[in-house]
Amino acid sequence: MTPHSPKRDRILDAAERVFAQRGFFTAKVADIAKEAGVADGTIYLYFKSKDDLLISLFESRMERVNALLGAAVAAAKTPHEKLMAFVRAYIGMIADQPTAAEVLTIELRQSTKFMREYSAQRFGELLRLLAGVIAEGQASGEWSDAVPAPHAARMIWGMLDEMALAWLLGRDHGGRSSSGRGRKPPPSVDDGGRKFDIVRAADWVGALVTQGLERRSHV
Amino acid sequence: MTPHSPKRDRILDAAERVFAQRGFFTAKVADIAKEAGVADGTIYLYFKSKDDLLISLFESRMERVNALLGAAVAAAKTPHEKLMAFVRAYIGMIADQPTAAEVLTIELRQSTKFMREYSAQRFGELLRLLAGVIAEGQASGEWSDAVPAPHAARMIWGMLDEMALAWLLGRDHGGRSSSGRGRKPPPSVDDGGRKFDIVRAADWVGALVTQGLERRSHV
Amino acid sequence: MTPHSPKRDRILDAAERVFAQRGFFTAKVADIAKEAGVADGTIYLYFKSKDDLLISLFESRMERVNALLGAAVAAAKTPHEKLMAFVRAYIGMIADQPTAAEVLTIELRQSTKFMREYSAQRFGELLRLLAGVIAEGQASGEWSDAVPAPHAARMIWGMLDEMALAWLLGRDHGGRSSSGRGRKPPPSVDDGGRKFDIVRAADWVGALVTQGLERRSHV
Amino acid sequence: MTPHSPKRDRILDAAERVFAQRGFFTAKVADIAKEAGVADGTIYLYFKSKDDLLISLFESRMERVNALLGAAVAAAKTPHEKLMAFVRAYIGMIADQPTAAEVLTIELRQSTKFMREYSAQRFGELLRLLAGVIAEGQASGEWSDAVPAPHAARMIWGMLDEMALAWLLGRDHGGRSSSGRGRKPPPSVDDGGRKFDIVRAADWVGALVTQGLERRSHV
DNA sequence: CATGAATGAGACTTCATTCAT
DNA sequence: CATGAATGAAGTCTCATTCAT
């Protein structure tokens, strides 16, 4: 379905790095070309436009994520294990491939409303997977059904996403400082959320979520 | 501290509408000027640059949000009530002022990494308020301290934010479609998260969060 | 109807010179801007695009030509005098404003088929004026109606146009030599049509049109 | 002199169609290659550049035209018959091969001033042929020498050319509309010159040239 | 204070041409 | 001879910002 070629992949990889570094709007096509080691025009042999490049990158990376999460969930038995597998797989991916994660978490979803609507579809896959796990747990009586599964899934996703965002922004990378010259951001004040160990976040999320979902033994 | 004048406020209001409609990068300064009913150059009498306008808008709106949430929490007694007051106040604001919410939730945080770092500070205030509530509940023994309060606060914030985002994107508004003409977004597939009643989200968040935080009666 | 301003006119004048010098496709917007003494972007304050500039130039100049020819014809009495007035006015304009004539005769009609269709309308005015004169002469019995007036008008126009073209191309101007580097045009061979006195062409056209080549039986 | 090969000819034929359809500047070398069924690079095995391709096409077609006209004139006896043979042969060619005619009449002469100067040479052959016929008629006393033969030839050529142009532009072909989207050409107003029978034009040209507009006193 | 015409740097994209296979 | 992927120079147009009025 998606055309593949080594050069196309090199361009996608370069775009991932450049978008992560400079942001979609600020990134120049020429930057990506240079990073990929190709001529400017070559990019247009593989992608219709800068927008198309962004979308292609998004799809390429989301395929990976969805495959990874799907496999992790499939390998687990009980709803609780599946949920934890999902959470750990996602957090693990963040920790292992922070550049890819940054593009996915920050740049890709943010460029245009068009992009966001587009991305909604791909995240939908992920959300449905998660919602299925929750519905399963609710159906088995293990978890409360006070919150409809699709919304519970979305909230859990929000937790994961926010933790990912906090961690990614807390990392140091020689990023850009702005398009303009004006203000500088205020000095970094630690709000308890920066520079933590992202792997521990899996347990925190698990703890918050499962205790919330689990039916009380005695009430 | 922040300079005030009716014209400045008109420009901020106009920017809010235009950014919500077109997105930060796509919005033209001239659009904002026209929306505000002033000349292009006038904007530069009140703001140093387009970036500065964005930041000023952000600060102006965050002040309101922080004040609102602070008041809501202050008016409540117990940690549980404070938490619910926080959640309900935020969700209520989303429902009442969707345009402002859209700018805050979507555009403002997403323009540049610079902006996001900048915004981290202002959201920090909000997160600290929430973390304080949680710490209070943990200290009183009402809530488990399995998750450090700052991280719990961030996760709760992620839930709220994601619900707001899902609801805002699910609404219809004659938005832009992109810079280019190339691809069209795939047809909208309902993932169970679109077009729901945002007010109910307050209860869902409350249910998920408090049941997770509450210590078990018998363990 | 057409918006006027000194700067707009300066740009049109500059475009006339640059198009005459370099041709429409070869001319760069930057060239025109420099020739007009304005910034590149300024051109887009007065014209939507390079195409629009070309069309506007065409309309501006055709208005002049049509007005001139209309006045010349109106000032004459008999069909024969009107015809000669038309011919002399057009040839005179070529002689007086060769740059404008060059753009009209050569560049403007040649850029795109679109342009040519567009120009057909404006030349239509001129052709209808001429056809009216001929029809008048035919109606009065002075002229033969062997050739329908509209076609006769077009043929006469073809004669004028070709003479103008031959003369304009025969003049020396430090023109471009090509877009590419390849071949050079063959050395100029005089074909009897170059470097003649354009003013005499009026009489030739008049003689050929009214009397034809055949020698009169009785004179 | 001119190298020949089936592939070279296929490319020339393809170029003729593509130039007629899109115009010289708008036509892409890749379009011509596709139309010819060869690879882009192959074109450069037979032609030095796009310019060279245009010139070669021009020469190829002009050879045909000159040969055709030369033969037609040679086959006739009197100057009057030769003139009519010339006119009929040219008009007949327009009618039979409108695509070739379109390229010759419209695109080829209009690309660059370079091209036009170049073309002047080839049209020179044609003009000299015609001038010779006229000079012959003048020498024999059959025709008036009020107009020098070379200029008379050029005027006659102008008539033929204009009639060809009018007819070619009046035909419908799924042409391009421009580079930009801006203005639309004004609605087609019939000026009495569109969609006529081109074959009749031969008689009109003959009548106007030989007899002129003035009604004969005694015939 | 306000205006808005003017600026000009810079981006995306096209396409004629080349050259390794 | 033929291919077609790759090149990269160059052009049109946009838009944040300035400044004379």
Side-chain angles (χ1 to χ4, degrees), chain A residues 7 38-42 45-46 181:
Chain A
K7 196 151 291 187
V38 299
D40 294 18
T42 303
L45 296 179
Y46 296 94
R181 286 134 285 184

Side-chain angles (χ1 to χ4, degrees), chain C residues 51-68:
Chain C
D51 263 27
D52 185 45
L53 174 54
L54 177 71
I55 291 172
S56 301
L57 174 57
F58 176 71
E59 290 189 333
S60 153
R61 297 317 184 241
M62 271 318 258
E63 253 172 50
R64 286 191 202 168
V65 173
N66 283 324
L68 184 78

